[in-house]
Amino acid sequence: MAQNARSTTGRKKPRAYDPVKTRAAVLAQFGLVREVVEGLSEEQLARPSGLGEWSVRELAAHLSMAVGSVVRSLGEPSPGAAEVGLLDWPFATEKHAGRIAEDTAGIAASGPISELYGKVAAGIAEALPGADDDRVVPTRVGAMRFADFLVTRTVELVVHSDDLARATGVEVPLDRQALAACTRLLADALAVKAPGASTEVRIPPFAVVQCIEGPRHTRGTPPNVVETDPLTWVRLATGRTQWADAIENAQVSASGERADLVGVLPILG
């Protein structure tokens, strides 16, 4: 999914996320998705998702798989040391796209979507309360600290909740804390992908990061500023919205000669 794999070790310290809020966000957003998915008709589930060849059913199955992976990771022996940090994750997923598609198709064909969601909901409700945030768990991209892996689930949930809403025309509410965590992680990933301090990217009320090589400002308003809302940022960072379209539709304001992010977007494909 990511455009460039890279290690963040020693380059940028990940921001802190409140594990209690992250757990609540994952549970809340999955609950919101479940309510919508269980209300979809067979005709709606058979529609194209807008994501490659996936149907809405396969998109819904992928969402359940993203959350179910939390339960599966906790059920396996700990690998010991973490191999993947939180800011490595956005750049470590692309090479697994084929396997993800295969697993998604298998899950989608395994039975009724409502039963699948019920099973995942029961599993995560049981697994999360006693989970150790510092436990290292196996994930598709490598061993990760559990609390970090849970933050990545907010990205999966928010991005694909939005995909689901656009594919079906049914509103999928976004939990505020889930949207905040997703926004912040993708903003920090931008700063890793395009390091520097010449451009300030503002995504109120959740994140402000500096990026892009060039002259560093020391006081006052920086000469290069990009500002957008959280959902537009998520769509830009994942390639759902193109930079030129967002500018044309006034979804992004950009001022300064280094305020063009077209060369560094998307973060996730």
Side-chain angles (χ1 to χ4, degrees), residues 61-248:
H62 179 73
L63 266 162
S64 73
M65 184 174 72
V67 177
S69 63
V70 173
V71 180
R72 292 191 297 275
S73 70
L74 288 170
E76 297 181 16
S78 174
E83 303 167 327
V84 179
L86 183 54
L87 290 179
D88 294 312
W89 176 82
F91 309 104
T93 58
E94 183 179 24
K95 64 182 179 182
H96 300 282
R99 181 61 183 274
I100 290 171
E102 291 177 6
D103 291 348
T104 295
I107 291 175
S110 65
I113 288 292
S114 59
E115 291 183 10
L116 175 61
Y117 269 69
K119 181 178 179 180
V120 172
I124 197 168
E126 180 180 355
L128 275 188
D132 180 356
D133 293 317
D134 291 320
R135 174 185 170 88
V136 176
V137 297
T139 78
R140 192 181 296 274
V141 301
M144 294 185 71
R145 181 172 168 266
F146 178 70
D148 290 343
F149 182 51
L150 209 57
V151 174
T152 72
R153 300 305 85 190
T154 68
V155 177
E156 293 278 358
L157 279 164
V158 168
V159 171
H160 291 311
S161 291
D162 184 45
D163 289 335
L164 184 65
R166 288 184 287 111
T168 62
V170 178
E171 180 185 3
V172 183
L174 296 178
D175 174 76
R176 178 181 171 84
Q177 187 58 42
L179 180 59
C182 174
T183 300
R184 289 164 180 158
L185 179 51
L186 292 176
D188 289 344
L190 171 67
V192 169
K193 184 175 182 179
S198 70
T199 303
E200 186 164 281
V201 178
R202 302 171 178 173
I203 313 162
F206 298 136
V208 177
V209 296
Q210 293 185 348
C211 60
I212 311 294
E213 292 182 350
R216 175 188 295 268
H217 71 276
T218 57
R219 64 178 61 188
T221 302
N224 306 289
V225 177
V226 173
E227 185 166 330
T228 189
D229 64 275
L231 188 54
T232 297
W233 168 244
V234 170
R235 291 173 178 174
L236 284 167
T238 58
R240 270 64 174 176
T241 294
Q242 299 303 306
W243 176 259
D245 293 335
I247 292 291
E248 182 178 351

